[in-house]
Amino acid sequence: MKPKLLLITPPFTQLNTPYPATAYIKGFLNTISIESVQADLGIEVILKLFSKEGLTDLFQVQTSKLQVGDISDNSKRIFALQEEYVKTIESVIAFLQGKNPTLALQICQEDYLPEASRFASLEELDWAFGLMGTQDKAKHLATLYLEDISDYIVECIDANFGFSRYAERLGRSANSFDELYQALQQEPTYIDNLLISILEERIESVQPNLFLISVPFPGNLYSAFRSAQWVKAHYPEIKISMGGGFPNTELRSLSDARVFEFFDFITLDDGEAPIEELINAVRSSEVEMQCGVEKKYKRTFLLEDEKVVYKNNSTKPDYKQAQVGTPDYSDLLLDKYISVIEIVNPMHRMWSDGRWNKLTMAHGCYWAKCTFCDISLDYIKVYEPVAANLLCDRIEEMVAQTGQTGFHFVDEAAPPALMRALAVEILRRKISITWWTNIRFEKSFTADLCLLLKASGCIAVSGGLEVASDRLLKLIDKGVTVEQVAKVTQHFTQAGIMVHAYLMYGYPTQTVQETVDSLEMVRQLFEAGVLQSGFWHQFAMTAHSPVGLDPEAFGVIPIAPSLGKFKEAVFANNDIDYKDKTGINHDQFSFGLKKSLFNFMHGICLDYELQDWFDFKIPKTKITADFIENALTLDNEITTKPTAKIVWLGGKPEVEYFTKSKKGRSWDMMRLTFHDKKESFTVQTNKEEGEWLVGILSRISIANNKVYTFQELKNDFEKQFEDFELFWYSKPIHILRSYGLLTL
């Protein structure tokens, strides 16, 4: 039987760009000549719902709440303005897809869109959006408009609806399958029926024999089960498998047989080899089955004799990153994704605005030590980088396929050495892209490396500062100090790369004093201008992290979940409830931490007392007012390692010879004039050293394949002259280092 696969991402993930899992799998399937079709049903449901026909149908739904008038004044207002919503919806969606830019002028006049409660916050946000251009302001207003309609849907049509998640509550920490199972026994919701209508078209057109559903997040889980349920009922011959981030982290101890009323298989970790074995198993002939040939599975749950079993009897090794192929985005509706501007957070803005091709520099994490992280699982602990030249090959393929030059490298933490190699290769090939990624704030990110990354198209990095306390950073095993983080953020900022910090509160044994001091560290980083964006999240204990595996060592007590009548059944198992032995209520800090950060990101209220952010008494900070300032003024090491790589990003200079005379003596001199993208500048040196410099700049140009070390330059210089260090630290070289002569 010839395999034919349908790969889907169920509702909902992002509006602006497809989640990449199916594109990765399709790219792999291409390498083994397996035919597949993929679809992002999330964006397809959104487009069907937010259309003239979709809203017309939506407003005709007569819920019991509407019939008895038991709805909020806000929903009544939206219902009353339904004709305005139906009239404007398709123009707004086209605008957010980038197809109708002139509409921005009308939207910004603020008499075009119908307005409900979401617009009430507009005046409060005017100060934050006051400097935005017309297009961005219109995007924000259009986003509020969509959120108003979403509020109406949640209250009157389907309480589980959300733009980037659906019925997330049913998937989050669902230790028991009971609640989700019960929800699936109910009649399909309005949103379910939209999903099913689209899915039915896909099944009929593709006619797959293997249906793969990627479930990256809890907010995709319910829709995944609803999709599988419908296919099981109408096409029982189609085999169905689930994979992705959710099962990889949450379903590793699955034992509830009811799950397999919906799915035939659930695979864990990297999907390539498990899917290939599933394909082989599905197309096994009846003769093989009658002869008792055992089917091979790799990291796969299935049902045998009414019991859940985990099969890993395949000897097939996992594919190396060089073998998995280039992500293939064909079949996806790339020109129909919607860019929105929801909140005034620079990094979250990047998440939701614009189309990003997703790639990975390295599988896993090169550090893999942080005690709050799932470092026991393969997606973290199995580290394998991709060669820079192969990454660039994939970049060029994806640009040709998608027409998009924006790349988000979705690494756990991109390795600095590989980032350097990738940047050099991008510049060498003269590829013009825009990219960003996640990093660790480690000392490898020197000022010169950050300049190189910027030159290659890097516009932003995000990284975990977590708890800005050296004691707790050591306990987390983060491998950085606050001073080091400050210095690295300064290097990125000075290079023109935006920095976003992930911040954490409530880590085990964290004291109130440490929470206050952590906030003060963050305040000083924003005050110094070296941090532009951030987000606080509360510590969560996961089953596969060092804290979850040995809670006693970290001063926390796990709380066992109640599993209801199916006490022996286990469904999801990742997030663990716990008690911190300190007894501190960390929840109380949430509002103050987030409110202060919102203001710091916009450069205001930096002079407030920390107490002003909280409605309960907090201790004064023990951090000195100049802690970060002092960290930023620490002297940099001025010596250069012999193995340091020297690269010239600039072009060839114009050369002019002249003679310099003083007190009867004269010297032959050279004036070198350089032109960079912003300005022209000159350096002067004596003729002999100048001619050596012109020659060496040509040899160390980024366009060349050979990369020279400091020692190689020194050896070459001292064939003709003496004391290379004296020349290297002279004024001409100092000027060149300001314009792209980098030490890496």
Side-chain angles (χ1 to χ4, degrees):
M1 178 176 60
K2 184 179 179 181
K4 183 75 176 288
L5 278 67
L6 174 61
L7 325 172
I8 71 159
T9 305
F12 292 109
T13 48
Q14 289 176 258
L15 294 176
N16 64 306
T17 201
Y19 193 78
T22 61
Y24 273 65
I25 294 300
K26 185 175 176 68
F28 163 71
L29 292 171
N30 292 343
T31 69
I32 56 172
S33 302
I34 298 294
E35 186 179 1
S36 65
V37 176
Q38 65 180 324
D40 178 357
L41 298 192
I43 192 63
E44 294 191 37
V45 169
I46 289 293
L47 294 175
K48 191 164 186 175
L49 178 60
F50 290 91
S51 65
K52 185 174 289 187
E53 182 181 350
L55 287 192
T56 299
D57 291 344
L58 181 76
F59 285 120
Q60 288 175 353
V61 175
Q62 295 298 312
T63 67
S64 58
K65 288 182 179 181
L66 278 171
Q67 289 172 342
V68 300
D70 184 21
I71 62 172
S72 67
D73 289 342
N74 186 58
S75 287
K76 290 177 183 175
R77 172 175 172 77
I78 294 170
F79 186 77
L81 290 168
Q82 60 181 277
E83 290 185 5
E84 291 298 323
Y85 284 102
V86 171
K87 171 186 168 184
T88 53
I89 187 64
E90 294 192 347
S91 294
V92 170
I93 292 296
F95 166 69
L96 292 175
Q97 291 172 331
K99 299 174 182 176
N100 191 16
T102 56
L103 190 69
L105 298 168
Q106 201 164 2
I107 291 175
C108 288
Q109 290 179 358
E110 298 185 33
D111 60 357
Y112 174 73
L113 299 177
E115 298 181 5
S117 63
R118 293 284 183 157
F119 287 78
S121 62
L122 198 57
E123 290 184 9
E124 298 174 17
L125 291 176
D126 271 350
W127 56 271
F129 283 93
L131 298 178
M132 294 179 73
T134 300
Q135 292 290 320
D136 283 351
K137 184 176 180 182
K139 275 187 186 179
H140 179 61
L141 294 172
T143 303
L144 298 178
Y145 160 92
L146 292 182
E147 288 176 338
D148 275 335
I149 303 174
S150 173
D151 290 342
Y152 177 85
I153 295 171
V154 169
E155 182 177 4
C156 301
I157 308 297
D158 189 339
N160 287 320
F161 180 75
F163 279 116
S164 59
R165 59 190 61 86
Y166 186 72
E168 183 180 47
R169 178 185 58 80
L170 295 174
R172 189 172 291 284
S173 300
N175 299 94
S176 167
F177 188 47
D178 290 356
E179 191 175 3
L180 178 55
Y181 188 75
Q182 289 163 9
L184 291 163
Q185 307 314 307
Q186 307 302 313
E187 286 296 314
T189 67
Y190 184 83
I191 303 299
D192 290 342
N193 286 325
L194 287 179
L195 166 63
I196 289 168
S197 68
I198 296 168
L199 179 59
E200 183 174 10
E201 292 175 6
R202 284 287 183 278
I203 294 292
E204 289 179 355
S205 64
V206 177
Q207 296 186 345
N209 45 37
L210 183 54
F211 180 34
L212 304 181
I213 304 179
S214 174
V215 183
F217 308 116
N220 303 93
L221 187 68
Y222 169 84
S223 292
F225 271 87
R226 192 57 103 175
S227 299
Q229 180 186 48
W230 185 86
V231 172
K232 276 288 176 201
H234 295 84
Y235 296 87
E237 72 280 6
I238 297 176
K239 298 298 183 182
I240 308 174
S241 180
M242 180 204 299
F246 183 87
N248 290 350
T249 54
E250 303 274 353
L251 302 184
R252 304 190 77 87
S253 52
L254 176 67
S255 62
D256 195 322
R258 295 174 297 171
V259 171
F260 292 89
E261 294 174 24
F262 306 85
F263 292 93
D264 297 288
F265 313 104
I266 294 177
T267 62
L268 300 182
D269 302 325
D270 291 352
E272 291 85 4
I275 288 171
E276 186 176 11
E277 292 291 44
L278 285 187
I279 293 169
N280 293 332
V282 167
R283 67 181 174 185
S284 294
S285 69
E286 290 186 8
V287 174
E288 288 177 318
M289 294 170 65
Q290 290 170 359
C291 294
V293 176
E294 184 183 19
K295 293 184 178 181
K296 302 295 184 183
Y297 296 97
K298 194 168 186 71
R299 296 190 300 270
T300 300
F301 284 107
L302 59 149
L303 202 64
E304 285 187 351
D305 299 325
E306 302 306 314
K307 290 185 179 179
V308 179
V309 296
Y310 179 70
K311 288 283 187 79
N312 193 23
N313 60 345
S314 169
T315 57
K316 180 182 289 295
D318 278 305
Y319 283 86
K320 298 294 185 183
Q321 292 303 296
Q323 301 171 311
V324 297
T326 301
D328 183 348
Y329 283 85
S330 60
D331 310 323
L332 298 175
L333 309 178
L334 296 181
D335 62 337
K336 294 187 177 180
Y337 283 85
I338 301 168
S339 289
V340 296
I341 299 180
E342 302 172 72
I343 52 177
V344 196
N345 178 308
M347 183 57 73
H348 292 172
R349 157 77 184 278
M350 289 177 61
W351 272 100
S352 61
D353 187 15
R355 260 276 297 118
W356 299 100
N357 295 316
K358 309 276 188 174
L359 261 182
T360 308
M361 291 190 207
H363 181 288
C365 179
Y366 69 95
W367 181 250
K369 295 180 183 179
C370 298
T371 54
F372 61 79
C373 187
D374 292 338
I375 61 175
S376 65
L377 299 183
D378 282 359
Y379 83 95
I380 299 289
K381 74 177 181 181
V382 179
Y383 173 67
E384 184 192 346
V386 180
N389 62 341
L390 180 55
L391 278 172
C392 276
D393 289 345
R394 291 175 177 174
I395 286 170
E396 290 180 316
E397 283 183 53
M398 292 172 72
V399 170
Q401 183 193 74
T402 68
Q404 301 289 337
T405 58
F407 284 81
H408 176 200
F409 290 96
V410 291
D411 292 66
E412 301 300 325
L418 182 51
M419 290 175 72
R420 179 185 68 196
L422 176 62
V424 168
E425 188 68 13
I426 288 171
L427 290 165
R428 185 174 290 145
R429 295 195 192 189
K430 297 180 172 58
I431 300 171
S432 178
I433 64 169
T434 302
W435 63 274
W436 56 294
T437 192
N438 192 50
I439 63 161
R440 288 180 61 247
F441 292 119
E442 60 165 80
K443 59 185 179 182
S444 301
F445 290 107
T446 61
D448 278 10
L449 175 55
C450 292
L451 288 169
L452 176 75
L453 298 176
K454 173 65 175 177
S456 73
C458 180
I459 58 166
V461 293
S462 57
L465 173 53
E466 318 306 352
V467 180
S469 152
D470 283 341
R471 181 188 79 84
L472 289 169
L473 285 172
K474 188 174 181 181
L475 189 61
I476 290 171
D477 203 0
K478 194 71 185 177
V480 300
T481 64
V482 177
E483 286 183 340
Q484 181 180 316
V485 171
K487 200 68 180 171
V488 169
T489 58
Q490 182 185 44
H491 292 159
F492 277 111
T493 299
Q494 288 177 342
I497 297 172
M498 185 182 78
V499 183
H500 172 89
Y502 296 111
L503 305 165
M504 182 188 294
Y505 64 100
Y507 189 81
T509 72
Q510 183 174 355
T511 65
V512 171
Q513 184 67 58
E514 285 173 323
T515 300
V516 172
D517 290 348
S518 185
L519 175 58
E520 172 60 15
M521 292 285 203
V522 172
R523 186 197 69 78
Q524 289 188 28
L525 287 167
F526 276 100
E527 186 175 47
V530 296
L531 201 58
Q532 293 79 49
S533 178
F535 185 78
W536 287 102
H537 67 276
Q538 191 165 355
F539 168 77
M541 186 165 77
T542 62
H544 311 291
S545 67
V547 179
L549 292 169
D550 188 10
E552 185 66 28
F554 292 88
V556 294
I557 304 167
I559 302 172
S562 173
L563 298 179
K565 64 179 181 179
F566 287 91
K567 292 186 184 297
E568 76 286 354
V570 174
F571 182 53
N573 178 29
N574 192 36
D575 286 3
I576 302 173
D577 287 337
Y578 67 94
K579 287 183 180 178
D580 190 329
K581 288 183 179 179
T582 63
I584 295 170
N585 175 20
H586 296 289
D587 292 347
Q588 65 183 332
F589 291 97
S590 177
F591 182 78
L593 290 174
K594 292 174 182 176
K595 184 178 180 181
S596 59
L597 184 63
F598 182 86
N599 285 275
F600 296 165
M601 281 192 293
H602 297 95
I604 61 173
C605 304
L606 289 161
D607 56 347
Y608 277 32
E609 294 291 331
L610 299 186
Q611 179 65 66
D612 294 342
W613 302 112
F614 303 95
D615 57 6
F616 55 92
K617 187 68 176 174
I618 62 168
K620 288 188 175 296
T621 182
K622 292 185 177 180
I623 305 301
T624 60
D626 57 357
F627 181 90
I628 295 298
E629 182 183 354
N630 289 339
L632 296 177
T633 54
L634 288 174
D635 289 336
N636 288 322
E637 187 178 357
I638 61 169
T639 57
T640 305
K641 293 180 180 179
T643 55
K645 295 175 173 61
I646 311 300
V647 172
W648 170 237
L649 298 182
K652 294 181 179 179
E654 295 174 5
V655 177
E656 180 184 355
Y657 293 92
F658 66 100
T659 302
K660 185 177 181 180
S661 300
K662 188 175 182 181
K663 296 183 178 179
R665 297 179 58 195
S666 62
W667 301 268
D668 291 331
M669 300 289 291
M670 283 180 65
R671 181 180 294 110
L672 308 179
T673 302
F674 297 84
H675 304 282
D676 77 356
K677 286 184 283 188
K678 286 188 175 181
E679 59 184 322
S680 301
F681 64 96
T682 62
V683 298
Q684 293 183 7
T685 183
N686 67 59
K687 178 176 177 287
E688 291 78 11
E689 290 181 349
E691 288 177 340
W692 179 88
L693 179 59
V694 170
I696 209 68
L697 287 177
S698 178
R699 289 161 64 187
I700 64 173
S701 168
I702 195 72
N704 295 332
N705 289 326
K706 165 122 177 100
V707 177
Y708 289 82
T709 65
F710 180 82
Q711 186 64 49
E712 286 175 316
L713 265 61
K714 175 181 168 69
N715 293 344
D716 192 90
F717 181 88
E718 292 181 350
K719 289 177 183 177
Q720 305 176 51
F721 314 104
E722 295 181 355
D723 202 344
F724 177 67
E725 280 79 3
L726 183 63
F727 174 76
W728 183 252
Y729 295 108
S730 65
K731 183 178 178 180
I733 299 299
H734 179 74
I735 294 172
L736 289 177
R737 295 196 67 177
S738 302
Y739 288 95
L741 180 60
L742 305 182
T743 303
L744 304 170

